[in-house]
Amino acid sequence: MMETKLDPSIVSPAVQAMQNAAAVCNDVMGGTEVMRERLQYLPQEPMESDEAYSARVKRSVFFPAFKKAIATMVGRPFGEPVVLGEDVPPQIEPLAENIDQAGRDLDSFLRDAFRQTLVDGIGAILVDYTNTASLAAKLGKES
């Protein structure tokens, strides 16, 4: 039996299909300007002159129904601010003020993550943390 290597740089056909679908949805979220830039959504007709095509692209508008639907769906669960439960340890509470270390509070971070998940059809949050064992060993050596 042939051994297969797991290489994270190789994109499977299924993932490529999801990326292509997500790209369309992200373009739609960009509205009229993005849709005009992505000419594949408004192709030139075979007998259409370049001048006529350019004029048609410039006057074309895109109704933002998808963007409005996403905004409405995001507003449902996030109509009220996210509140930490009473069972959350006190050490965790300050993290909610700058949850991503980029200045966003927990409410904003979760709202943005949910919005992008709805647009892309899939979402994930990578949680990284310090290796506490090596940190403890280092702190023990310093004392």
Side-chain angles (χ1 to χ4, degrees):
M1 182 157 70
M2 201 168 153
E3 184 181 327
T4 59
K5 274 186 156 177
L6 294 178
D7 183 351
S9 68
I10 297 173
V11 178
S12 71
V15 169
Q16 185 61 56
M18 287 190 306
Q19 289 174 336
N20 292 344
V24 172
C25 292
N26 280 282
D27 288 348
V28 168
M29 288 293 286
T32 297
E33 292 304 313
V34 172
M35 296 303 280
R36 284 180 182 161
E37 290 170 11
R38 311 287 194 274
L39 297 178
Q40 72 265 26
Y41 302 123
L42 192 60
Q44 187 171 1
E45 296 297 330
M47 300 297 288
E48 187 175 29
S49 70
D50 291 345
E51 184 179 320
Y53 175 62
S54 179
R56 182 165 60 91
V57 168
K58 287 177 185 172
R59 72 174 177 265
S60 295
V61 293
F62 186 79
F63 183 72
F66 182 69
K67 189 173 186 173
K68 288 179 180 183
I70 294 292
T72 299
M73 289 190 290
V74 169
R76 299 259 183 212
F78 294 101
E80 299 289 326
V82 172
V83 178
L84 297 177
E86 293 178 17
D87 59 337
V88 173
Q91 307 92 307
I92 300 294
E93 290 178 16
L95 297 176
E97 296 170 15
N98 185 10
I99 196 71
D100 61 357
Q101 301 299 299
R104 286 190 297 175
D105 62 12
L106 181 61
D107 191 63
S108 299
F109 176 80
L110 292 174
R111 181 181 292 114
D112 292 347
F114 185 59
R115 178 184 303 110
Q116 200 58 50
T117 297
L118 289 173
V119 172
D120 292 342
I122 190 169
I125 298 172
L126 174 64
V127 179
D128 193 12
Y129 64 95
T130 305
N131 181 339
T132 54
S134 65
L135 181 61
K138 182 180 175 186
L139 291 174
K141 290 178 184 176
E142 290 176 1
S143 355

